């Protein structure tokens, strides 16, 4: 991942056995083991706080080992997803076929609940992840700008 500037150093936080890093435009979350509802709450707080700060956040989820998400955590992720804004794009790295399946089910639940696309891609290299994420962040920036224009348009 790109290094952050001297003016805006990377911010790191841990939630249970998991770790989050915000580098100025991306949140990189590394998961280890079971993601509980408490972990999910802390992760979502981290993600939403840094999305608000950055104005347009991209996310990389790293799973260097096997992990799982409890049913309560899955429900929390779906419940806490914001309906009024475009979804944050997420590149996923280092997952097994089983974990990809679990994440696909979770993302599909979010898509159904939010009634919109949630951009996710499973990547095998940093270069692939960052290239895809950069393109998705540009698309999200346009969506966010369009929302501001629509909100600023006087109603007749």
């Amino acid at each position: 991942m790109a290094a952050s500037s001297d003016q805006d150093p990377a911010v790191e936080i841990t939630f249970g056995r998991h770790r989050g890093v915000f580098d100025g435009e991306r949140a990189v979350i590394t998961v280890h083991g079971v993601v509980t509802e408490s972990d999910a709450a802390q992760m979502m707080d981290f993600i939403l706080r840094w999305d608000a700060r950055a104005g347009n956040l991209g996310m990389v989820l790293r799973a260097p080992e096997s992990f799982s998400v409890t049913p309560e955590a899955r429900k929390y992720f779906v419940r806490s997803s914001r309906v009024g804004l475009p979804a944050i794009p997420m590149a996923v790295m280092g997952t097994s076929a089983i974990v990809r399946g679990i994440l696909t089910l979770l993302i599909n639940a979010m898509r159904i609940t939010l009634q919109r696309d949630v951009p996710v891609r499973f990547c095998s290299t940093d270069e692939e992840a960052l290239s895809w994420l950069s393109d998705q962040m540009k698309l999200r920036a346009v969506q966010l700008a369009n929302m501001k224009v629509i909100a600023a348009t006087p109603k007749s």
Side-chain angles (χ1 to χ4, degrees), residues 55-84:
N56 183 22
L57 184 71
M59 188 167 73
V60 176
L61 177 69
R62 293 184 181 278
E65 58 190 52
S66 181
F67 82 100
S68 62
V69 182
T70 66
E72 296 81 11
R74 287 193 299 267
K75 288 176 190 172
Y76 188 89
F77 282 127
V78 173
R79 270 194 332 263
S80 63
S81 298
R82 296 171 299 179
V83 176

mmCIF file of all heavy atoms in Angstrom, residues 55-84:
data_model
loop_
_atom_site.group_PDB
_atom_site.id
_atom_site.type_symbol
_atom_site.label_atom_id
_atom_site.label_comp_id
_atom_site.label_asym_id
_atom_site.label_seq_id
_atom_site.Cartn_x
_atom_site.Cartn_y
_atom_site.Cartn_z
ATOM 1 N N GLY A 55 -13.590 11.598 2.730
ATOM 2 C CA GLY A 55 -14.563 12.033 1.737
ATOM 3 C C GLY A 55 -14.847 10.982 0.687
ATOM 4 O O GLY A 55 -15.896 10.993 0.061
ATOM 5 N N ASN A 56 -13.917 10.071 0.482
ATOM 6 C CA ASN A 56 -14.080 8.981 -0.475
ATOM 7 C C ASN A 56 -13.066 7.911 -0.125
ATOM 8 O O ASN A 56 -11.896 8.030 -0.464
ATOM 9 C CB ASN A 56 -13.876 9.463 -1.908
ATOM 10 C CG ASN A 56 -14.102 8.360 -2.922
ATOM 11 O OD1 ASN A 56 -14.779 7.376 -2.645
ATOM 12 N ND2 ASN A 56 -13.550 8.513 -4.105
ATOM 13 N N LEU A 57 -13.501 6.890 0.547
ATOM 14 C CA LEU A 57 -12.616 5.858 1.066
ATOM 15 C C LEU A 57 -12.645 4.620 0.184
ATOM 16 O O LEU A 57 -13.691 4.243 -0.337
ATOM 17 C CB LEU A 57 -13.076 5.481 2.481
ATOM 18 C CG LEU A 57 -12.231 4.484 3.254
ATOM 19 C CD1 LEU A 57 -10.910 5.135 3.669
ATOM 20 C CD2 LEU A 57 -12.986 4.017 4.492
ATOM 21 N N GLY A 58 -11.507 3.995 0.042
ATOM 22 C CA GLY A 58 -11.399 2.669 -0.538
ATOM 23 C C GLY A 58 -10.924 1.738 0.564
ATOM 24 O O GLY A 58 -10.310 2.185 1.539
ATOM 25 N N MET A 59 -11.207 0.459 0.445
ATOM 26 C CA MET A 59 -10.840 -0.465 1.516
ATOM 27 C C MET A 59 -10.200 -1.726 0.957
ATOM 28 O O MET A 59 -10.627 -2.249 -0.073
ATOM 29 C CB MET A 59 -12.089 -0.838 2.321
ATOM 30 C CG MET A 59 -11.772 -1.628 3.554
ATOM 31 S SD MET A 59 -13.169 -1.750 4.684
ATOM 32 C CE MET A 59 -14.212 -2.881 3.818
ATOM 33 N N VAL A 60 -9.163 -2.179 1.654
ATOM 34 C CA VAL A 60 -8.533 -3.460 1.351
ATOM 35 C C VAL A 60 -8.739 -4.343 2.564
ATOM 36 O O VAL A 60 -8.449 -3.944 3.693
ATOM 37 C CB VAL A 60 -7.018 -3.299 1.075
ATOM 38 C CG1 VAL A 60 -6.365 -4.665 0.854
ATOM 39 C CG2 VAL A 60 -6.779 -2.381 -0.121
ATOM 40 N N LEU A 61 -9.286 -5.522 2.338
ATOM 41 C CA LEU A 61 -9.449 -6.509 3.399
ATOM 42 C C LEU A 61 -8.417 -7.596 3.156
ATOM 43 O O LEU A 61 -8.418 -8.219 2.096
ATOM 44 C CB LEU A 61 -10.862 -7.103 3.385
ATOM 45 C CG LEU A 61 -11.106 -8.204 4.414
ATOM 46 C CD1 LEU A 61 -11.095 -7.628 5.836
ATOM 47 C CD2 LEU A 61 -12.418 -8.913 4.139
ATOM 48 N N ARG A 62 -7.549 -7.791 4.136
ATOM 49 C CA ARG A 62 -6.528 -8.833 4.051
ATOM 50 C C ARG A 62 -6.885 -9.951 5.019
ATOM 51 O O ARG A 62 -7.203 -9.690 6.170
ATOM 52 C CB ARG A 62 -5.155 -8.286 4.408
ATOM 53 C CG ARG A 62 -4.621 -7.291 3.424
ATOM 54 C CD ARG A 62 -3.210 -6.881 3.830
ATOM 55 N NE ARG A 62 -2.663 -5.911 2.914
ATOM 56 C CZ ARG A 62 -2.103 -6.191 1.745
ATOM 57 N NH1 ARG A 62 -2.019 -7.444 1.359
ATOM 58 N NH2 ARG A 62 -1.638 -5.243 0.972
ATOM 59 N N ALA A 63 -6.819 -11.173 4.525
ATOM 60 C CA ALA A 63 -7.091 -12.349 5.361
ATOM 61 C C ALA A 63 -5.951 -13.334 5.148
ATOM 62 O O ALA A 63 -6.069 -14.278 4.372
ATOM 63 C CB ALA A 63 -8.432 -12.955 4.987
ATOM 64 N N PRO A 64 -4.814 -13.092 5.837
ATOM 65 C CA PRO A 64 -3.641 -13.949 5.607
ATOM 66 C C PRO A 64 -3.800 -15.366 6.143
ATOM 67 O O PRO A 64 -3.012 -16.232 5.829
ATOM 68 C CB PRO A 64 -2.525 -13.215 6.343
ATOM 69 C CG PRO A 64 -3.208 -12.394 7.379
ATOM 70 C CD PRO A 64 -4.548 -12.032 6.795
ATOM 71 N N GLU A 65 -4.811 -15.584 6.959
ATOM 72 C CA GLU A 65 -5.084 -16.918 7.487
ATOM 73 C C GLU A 65 -6.597 -17.114 7.487
ATOM 74 O O GLU A 65 -7.343 -16.202 7.168
ATOM 75 C CB GLU A 65 -4.520 -17.064 8.900
ATOM 76 C CG GLU A 65 -5.071 -16.035 9.864
ATOM 77 C CD GLU A 65 -4.347 -16.011 11.198
ATOM 78 O OE1 GLU A 65 -3.117 -15.914 11.207
ATOM 79 O OE2 GLU A 65 -5.049 -16.101 12.221
ATOM 80 N N SER A 66 -7.023 -18.279 7.868
ATOM 81 C CA SER A 66 -8.455 -18.550 7.894
ATOM 82 C C SER A 66 -9.147 -17.651 8.905
ATOM 83 O O SER A 66 -8.607 -17.348 9.960
ATOM 84 C CB SER A 66 -8.675 -20.014 8.264
ATOM 85 O OG SER A 66 -10.044 -20.297 8.275
ATOM 86 N N PHE A 67 -10.328 -17.193 8.553
ATOM 87 C CA PHE A 67 -11.122 -16.417 9.494
ATOM 88 C C PHE A 67 -12.588 -16.705 9.252
ATOM 89 O O PHE A 67 -12.970 -17.257 8.235
ATOM 90 C CB PHE A 67 -10.813 -14.915 9.401
ATOM 91 C CG PHE A 67 -11.524 -14.191 8.295
ATOM 92 C CD1 PHE A 67 -12.658 -13.435 8.565
ATOM 93 C CD2 PHE A 67 -11.061 -14.242 6.995
ATOM 94 C CE1 PHE A 67 -13.311 -12.753 7.552
ATOM 95 C CE2 PHE A 67 -11.698 -13.564 5.981
ATOM 96 C CZ PHE A 67 -12.832 -12.813 6.256
ATOM 97 N N SER A 68 -13.398 -16.331 10.232
ATOM 98 C CA SER A 68 -14.837 -16.506 10.099
ATOM 99 C C SER A 68 -15.526 -15.297 10.710
ATOM 100 O O SER A 68 -14.920 -14.517 11.441
ATOM 101 C CB SER A 68 -15.293 -17.796 10.778
ATOM 102 O OG SER A 68 -15.015 -17.736 12.169
ATOM 103 N N VAL A 69 -16.788 -15.156 10.379
ATOM 104 C CA VAL A 69 -17.598 -14.036 10.870
ATOM 105 C C VAL A 69 -18.806 -14.643 11.568
ATOM 106 O O VAL A 69 -19.540 -15.427 10.960
ATOM 107 C CB VAL A 69 -18.035 -13.126 9.698
ATOM 108 C CG1 VAL A 69 -18.838 -11.942 10.203
ATOM 109 C CG2 VAL A 69 -16.825 -12.654 8.885
ATOM 110 N N THR A 70 -18.996 -14.297 12.842
ATOM 111 C CA THR A 70 -20.136 -14.861 13.581
ATOM 112 C C THR A 70 -21.439 -14.361 12.967
ATOM 113 O O THR A 70 -21.472 -13.304 12.319
ATOM 114 C CB THR A 70 -20.098 -14.461 15.071
ATOM 115 O OG1 THR A 70 -20.289 -13.048 15.177
ATOM 116 C CG2 THR A 70 -18.803 -14.896 15.733
ATOM 117 N N PRO A 71 -22.546 -15.089 13.165
ATOM 118 C CA PRO A 71 -23.834 -14.617 12.645
ATOM 119 C C PRO A 71 -24.192 -13.223 13.169
ATOM 120 O O PRO A 71 -24.717 -12.389 12.431
ATOM 121 C CB PRO A 71 -24.828 -15.673 13.150
ATOM 122 C CG PRO A 71 -24.008 -16.906 13.338
ATOM 123 C CD PRO A 71 -22.655 -16.423 13.773
ATOM 124 N N GLU A 72 -23.881 -12.950 14.435
ATOM 125 C CA GLU A 72 -24.170 -11.631 15.003
ATOM 126 C C GLU A 72 -23.356 -10.542 14.310
ATOM 127 O O GLU A 72 -23.860 -9.446 14.051
ATOM 128 C CB GLU A 72 -23.878 -11.618 16.514
ATOM 129 C CG GLU A 72 -24.754 -12.537 17.320
ATOM 130 C CD GLU A 72 -24.294 -14.005 17.291
ATOM 131 O OE1 GLU A 72 -23.177 -14.302 16.819
ATOM 132 O OE2 GLU A 72 -25.085 -14.853 17.744
ATOM 133 N N ALA A 73 -22.095 -10.846 14.003
ATOM 134 C CA ALA A 73 -21.240 -9.876 13.302
ATOM 135 C C ALA A 73 -21.755 -9.641 11.885
ATOM 136 O O ALA A 73 -21.777 -8.505 11.408
ATOM 137 C CB ALA A 73 -19.795 -10.361 13.280
ATOM 138 N N ARG A 74 -22.184 -10.722 11.209
ATOM 139 C CA ARG A 74 -22.734 -10.555 9.854
ATOM 140 C C ARG A 74 -23.949 -9.640 9.892
ATOM 141 O O ARG A 74 -24.081 -8.732 9.068
ATOM 142 C CB ARG A 74 -23.102 -11.922 9.256
ATOM 143 C CG ARG A 74 -21.898 -12.737 8.859
ATOM 144 C CD ARG A 74 -22.263 -13.924 7.983
ATOM 145 N NE ARG A 74 -23.150 -14.883 8.613
ATOM 146 C CZ ARG A 74 -22.761 -15.961 9.276
ATOM 147 N NH1 ARG A 74 -21.478 -16.217 9.408
ATOM 148 N NH2 ARG A 74 -23.640 -16.789 9.788
ATOM 149 N N LYS A 75 -24.833 -9.871 10.858
ATOM 150 C CA LYS A 75 -26.019 -9.016 10.987
ATOM 151 C C LYS A 75 -25.618 -7.575 11.264
ATOM 152 O O LYS A 75 -26.210 -6.645 10.719
ATOM 153 C CB LYS A 75 -26.932 -9.542 12.102
ATOM 154 C CG LYS A 75 -27.643 -10.821 11.749
ATOM 155 C CD LYS A 75 -28.448 -11.344 12.932
ATOM 156 C CE LYS A 75 -28.959 -12.731 12.661
ATOM 157 N NZ LYS A 75 -29.583 -13.341 13.843
ATOM 158 N N TYR A 76 -24.614 -7.386 12.097
ATOM 159 C CA TYR A 76 -24.165 -6.032 12.431
ATOM 160 C C TYR A 76 -23.642 -5.322 11.184
ATOM 161 O O TYR A 76 -23.961 -4.164 10.937
ATOM 162 C CB TYR A 76 -23.090 -6.041 13.529
ATOM 163 C CG TYR A 76 -22.787 -4.643 13.988
ATOM 164 C CD1 TYR A 76 -23.510 -4.069 15.027
ATOM 165 C CD2 TYR A 76 -21.831 -3.868 13.343
ATOM 166 C CE1 TYR A 76 -23.277 -2.766 15.425
ATOM 167 C CE2 TYR A 76 -21.591 -2.569 13.728
ATOM 168 C CZ TYR A 76 -22.316 -2.025 14.769
ATOM 169 O OH TYR A 76 -22.087 -0.735 15.140
ATOM 170 N N PHE A 77 -22.820 -6.011 10.383
ATOM 171 C CA PHE A 77 -22.280 -5.403 9.156
ATOM 172 C C PHE A 77 -23.416 -4.958 8.236
ATOM 173 O O PHE A 77 -23.382 -3.864 7.683
ATOM 174 C CB PHE A 77 -21.353 -6.371 8.412
ATOM 175 C CG PHE A 77 -19.980 -6.499 9.003
ATOM 176 C CD1 PHE A 77 -19.462 -7.743 9.313
ATOM 177 C CD2 PHE A 77 -19.185 -5.382 9.238
ATOM 178 C CE1 PHE A 77 -18.188 -7.874 9.841
ATOM 179 C CE2 PHE A 77 -17.908 -5.501 9.775
ATOM 180 C CZ PHE A 77 -17.410 -6.758 10.081
ATOM 181 N N VAL A 78 -24.412 -5.806 8.074
ATOM 182 C CA VAL A 78 -25.537 -5.465 7.189
ATOM 183 C C VAL A 78 -26.335 -4.297 7.763
ATOM 184 O O VAL A 78 -26.651 -3.337 7.063
ATOM 185 C CB VAL A 78 -26.433 -6.704 6.945
ATOM 186 C CG1 VAL A 78 -27.691 -6.311 6.182
ATOM 187 C CG2 VAL A 78 -25.654 -7.773 6.171
ATOM 188 N N ARG A 79 -26.660 -4.356 9.064
ATOM 189 C CA ARG A 79 -27.439 -3.286 9.713
ATOM 190 C C ARG A 79 -26.733 -1.937 9.677
ATOM 191 O O ARG A 79 -27.381 -0.905 9.580
ATOM 192 C CB ARG A 79 -27.679 -3.630 11.196
ATOM 193 C CG ARG A 79 -28.898 -4.384 11.518
ATOM 194 C CD ARG A 79 -29.217 -4.391 13.019
ATOM 195 N NE ARG A 79 -28.094 -4.255 13.929
ATOM 196 C CZ ARG A 79 -27.468 -5.264 14.535
ATOM 197 N NH1 ARG A 79 -27.854 -6.494 14.318
ATOM 198 N NH2 ARG A 79 -26.474 -5.048 15.356
ATOM 199 N N SER A 80 -25.429 -1.939 9.800
ATOM 200 C CA SER A 80 -24.707 -0.674 9.928
ATOM 201 C C SER A 80 -24.296 -0.079 8.582
ATOM 202 O O SER A 80 -23.700 0.999 8.546
ATOM 203 C CB SER A 80 -23.480 -0.853 10.816
ATOM 204 O OG SER A 80 -22.579 -1.765 10.227
ATOM 205 N N SER A 81 -24.611 -0.739 7.499
ATOM 206 C CA SER A 81 -24.292 -0.200 6.176
ATOM 207 C C SER A 81 -25.192 0.999 5.896
ATOM 208 O O SER A 81 -26.388 0.965 6.157
ATOM 209 C CB SER A 81 -24.485 -1.268 5.103
ATOM 210 O OG SER A 81 -23.602 -2.331 5.340
ATOM 211 N N ARG A 82 -24.610 2.053 5.367
ATOM 212 C CA ARG A 82 -25.359 3.289 5.123
ATOM 213 C C ARG A 82 -26.136 3.205 3.826
ATOM 214 O O ARG A 82 -25.589 2.894 2.771
ATOM 215 C CB ARG A 82 -24.403 4.477 5.077
ATOM 216 C CG ARG A 82 -23.730 4.698 6.412
ATOM 217 C CD ARG A 82 -22.663 5.709 6.300
ATOM 218 N NE ARG A 82 -21.671 5.203 5.344
ATOM 219 C CZ ARG A 82 -20.600 5.852 4.998
ATOM 220 N NH1 ARG A 82 -20.353 7.023 5.490
ATOM 221 N NH2 ARG A 82 -19.738 5.350 4.145
ATOM 222 N N VAL A 83 -27.405 3.531 3.903
ATOM 223 C CA VAL A 83 -28.284 3.467 2.743
ATOM 224 C C VAL A 83 -28.099 4.696 1.860
ATOM 225 O O VAL A 83 -28.174 4.612 0.645
ATOM 226 C CB VAL A 83 -29.762 3.337 3.199
ATOM 227 C CG1 VAL A 83 -30.705 3.373 2.016
ATOM 228 C CG2 VAL A 83 -29.943 2.053 3.991
ATOM 229 N N GLY A 84 -27.808 5.861 2.425
ATOM 230 C CA GLY A 84 -27.802 7.104 1.677
ATOM 231 C C GLY A 84 -26.556 7.422 0.884
ATOM 232 O O GLY A 84 -26.535 8.408 0.155
#
